[in-house]
Each structure stands twice: as structure tokens, then as C-alpha cells.
Amino acid sequence: MHFKTTLLLYIFFLSSHLSYSQKTFDAIYAETYQVLLSSNPKKALKNTDYLYTIAKNNLERINTRMLRAHILYQYGVHNEAIATLKQADSLATVDKNYAAQAKIYGFLASVYRENEIYNLGKIYLNKAVNVSKKIKDKGEMYRFQGNLSQELACYELHDSNYAKAILHLEKGIQLFEKAAKTSDKNYQIAINDELIAQNYLEMNKTDSALFHYEKAEKELKESLSYDSPLRGFIYNGLGDVYTSKKDYKKALSNYGKAEEIADKSDYSALKQEVYNSLMEFYKKTDSKKYIVYNEKNLKLSQAENANKKVIADELIKSLQQSHLQSQSQYKKNKLIIIGICIFAVLITIALYIFKRKQDYKKIRAFINNNKPIESSEVQIEYKKDTSKEYMSEATENSILESIKEFEKSNLFLNKTLSINSVAAELNVNHRYLSYVINKHKSKDFAGYINELRINYIVDRLKNDPSYLKYKISYLADQTGFASHSRFTITFKKVTGVSPLSFITYLQNNKEEELV
């Protein structure tokens, strides 16, 4: 429910514009979107400029800005994509085009989420929800809100609110059912069911996950887009479900189908998801195949990043050339633009140096005081727990002693750890344990365990130079985190900086000492 969801959502938005276009405009738009977007993004970007000049009304101009933003966003030029979307918003505001505004705000919410600017993203998400209610065409309103349910679910997933994410997606299905004119309704509902299944899988409710994956597969089969990459994501999810159920034969069968679709479609997001699943599958069963899929995953990521960088550089150059050509007769403006660019570079460098210094201050503060300065993590406020009414002071002190022993045991590195399993290990009531942790550690159970894990790996990084050579994904795995991203987020919350900044600091510090 990440980059693939954003693309699926906005492919729908873009394709919905075509019905409004003039014949010539429509032909160029269709070629740009359906062919050039993936085969020749540089030309596609130029086409959006031409489309803007031949547009006969603001609606067509909005369409070109949305398409342009999609091209820039897909290839990593996010700042330009945001600026382009804001241009489209200005046009939509003038025309009071609520349908266009809702789509623009939804797109901005996704872009900010992908860049982890969640506060701004939520602002635009709320704007999208509110303005969508003003869309006069009820069918279009329901259709958009159905797609918007996926974005709402993404934000809840980020906060690990799986049940709320599922509620948004179920409501989205109801909205698609109401939108009688929804293009390929079954496909849209299949996306929501696949995402619902993902959330159930995160909650370890494998039976519910299996039900919704199978439901999504059936809906996709009845749609007009059965051969889309979504089918691969569904098979991969089924593989994860059967792996959880330890039905390895069915798991491998579904992974095989997913991999076949990934190879055939050459859809990198699907490939990466399949390779990650197979890596986890073979990690405990076949070390050779684990290495094979690990290498495949690394090569894919490197190739994808390199390709995007090349294309992004070309698009940026294209943008700069276009701008300079249009301003070629005004030398003064050229100098101003160059001056602004140089100033921006200098500011960027200055900000980078400043940020690095701030990060190093945080690292030194954490190392010296075992806590970050200016930490953004908000400690939870202790609340009265009914457990206190039944727990004696002696019991509370006993549990505290057990917790101290637990902290020395490194059992907190276990990936399958839960409050029930820890309570069983310590031979205490799980409600008592939760109460004591909340009171004496000022954290809930998950926050407490995550901080122990981060403090453990920080100690390893400081005292064992070999750990500085390991990849972040390996460090995450060693400390019991389910993913690279979750480890990175938690590390930054605890220390105030990213794992990479922390490791870089320790490496540089070591080199300075040698000198």
C-alpha cells in the first residue's frame, strides 16, 4: 500500500480526463499518456507544454497540468510535480471545478505522503475529502471518494491503525457500488479488497486476509483489467498468507504465479514485492535461493534508482532548457534565473552542512546522555489503570525486577515478541506488566520494546566496528524489526537522526581519532 497504490489511484484520475477532450487534444493526450509516458518521458513532458498552448478552456489546461505532474512525480522530480499541481489548483479554483480540485488535493496528499511530509499530506487529504462533497455529479463524487478511501487507508496504515484502514476501504467499496457509471467498477473494488487483505495480514488475521485476497481475485477476473499487475500483487499476498499458515506448497505455487506476472509485465514495484516475499520465504528454508533473490532485489533497486536518476536528470535539463529558450530574448531575466539557481545551490549546501552539524550534535548528545536532544517523540502520558487497584506494591516491585532481568536477556530482539509472550516469560499478568511499563518507562509496550532494540544496536555500533559495515536492512533484521523502513523510523525517533547519519558519524569520528 505504498507507491503502487499511488500509481493505481492516479492512473485512474488521468484516464478519466480523456472523455472531456476535443478530438485533436484527445489524440495527443492519449498518445502522451498511453505510450510516451513510459517509453519517452522527455517527449511526453514537451507534449504537455504543447497541449497547454492548444487547450481551449481551463478544464483542458487542468488536464495537461495533471498529466505533467504525473510524469514528473513518476520519475522523482517531486518539487516540480507539486508546483505543477498548484498551478492546476489555481485554474480549478477560478472555475469552481470541485471535481478537479478534489483530484488535485488527493494527488498532493499522495505526493507528500510518499515524501514522508505527513502533516502537509493530511491537510490536503482533508481538503480532498471536503471538496469532493461539493461535486454535483453524484456518480463522479462516489467514484472519487471510493478512490480516496485508498489514500485515507494509507495514512492509517502508516500509523499502524489497521482496523481504521480497513473501515476506509470497506466504505470505499460501498461508494464504488453507488457510483453506477464507474469505469470498470470490479477492478476498483478488487484494489480495495487486496488492500483490505494486506491490513488483515498485518494484524495476523490470516483467514480474513485469505478471504479478501480470493475475493479480490474473483473481482479482478470479472473486470476489464484481468491482466493488470494487480493480479500479481494478489497472488503474492496469497503466497504470504499460505506461508503464515505453513502451507508451503500453496505458498510457492502463488509466489510462482506472481513472479511470472512480474517478469511478463516488467512492473518493478511488483517485482520488488515478490522478491522480498521470496527472500523471507527462503531465508529459513533454502539459503542458496535466499541469496539468489536477495541479489535480484538489490539489482532491481539499483537499476530502478539509476534509471530514475537518468530520466529525472533529463527531465530537469529539459525543463531548464525550455525555460531558458522562452526567455532567451531577455538577458536580464537569464542572469536573474542563473543567480537564483546559484543561490539555491548555495542555500542547499548551507542547509545540508547545517543539518549535518545538527545531526552530529544530536548523536553526541545521545551518546553522552543516552537520549537525543530536541526529540520529536512525544512520550505518552501515564493514565490511571484499573490494574493498580489490584496490584500490591510488592508485586509491582517484583515485576520491575523481572523487567530488569528481561532487559539483560536480549529476548526483546525476537521478531514475534508480544506483551503476552513477555508476560508468559516473566510469569506475570499481562495487564500488570502493561501497567508497570506505562508507569515506570513512560511508554506503551511497543515503544518500550523498540527503544530497547535501538539502544541495543546503538551499543553494537559504538563498540563493535564490524557493525558499521553492515547494511541497514541487516541491522533491522538483527534487532527484530519487520522492515527496513520501520527500523529507520524508530531509530530516528529514539536517537534523533537516521541510522545512516549515525553510522557515518561513527565512521568519521573513528578516522579522525586515527589521524
Side-chain angles (χ1 to χ4, degrees), residues 186-223:
N186 287 326
Y187 177 73
Q188 299 296 331
I189 294 174
I191 292 174
N192 276 38
D193 267 314
E194 192 263 346
L195 296 175
I196 289 172
Q198 284 188 43
N199 280 278
Y200 275 124
L201 202 54
E202 290 285 350
M203 297 166 72
N204 294 319
K205 295 185 178 181
T206 53
D207 289 336
S208 297
L210 179 60
F211 172 79
H212 283 280
Y213 274 127
E214 289 177 342
K215 190 167 177 280
E217 184 183 14
K218 183 180 178 182
E219 288 155 354
L220 187 61
K221 192 176 290 185
E222 294 172 356
S223 75

Side-chain angles (χ1 to χ4, degrees), residues 19 68 139 209 223 228 281 295 337 350-351 379 440 449 495-496 512:
S19 59
R68 183 182 182 85
S223 75
S228 79
F281 181 83
E295 289 177 351
I337 290 168
L351 287 174
Q379 291 188 336
H440 292 276
I449 293 299
T495 67
E512 288 171 8

Side-chain angles (χ1 to χ4, degrees), residues 429-445:
N429 182 292
H430 75 276
R431 290 189 300 115
Y432 286 3
L433 179 62
S434 177
Y435 168 83
V436 172
I437 289 173
N438 274 281
K439 178 180 177 182
H440 292 276
K441 303 298 181 180
S442 299
K443 293 176 181 64
D444 60 13
F445 176 76

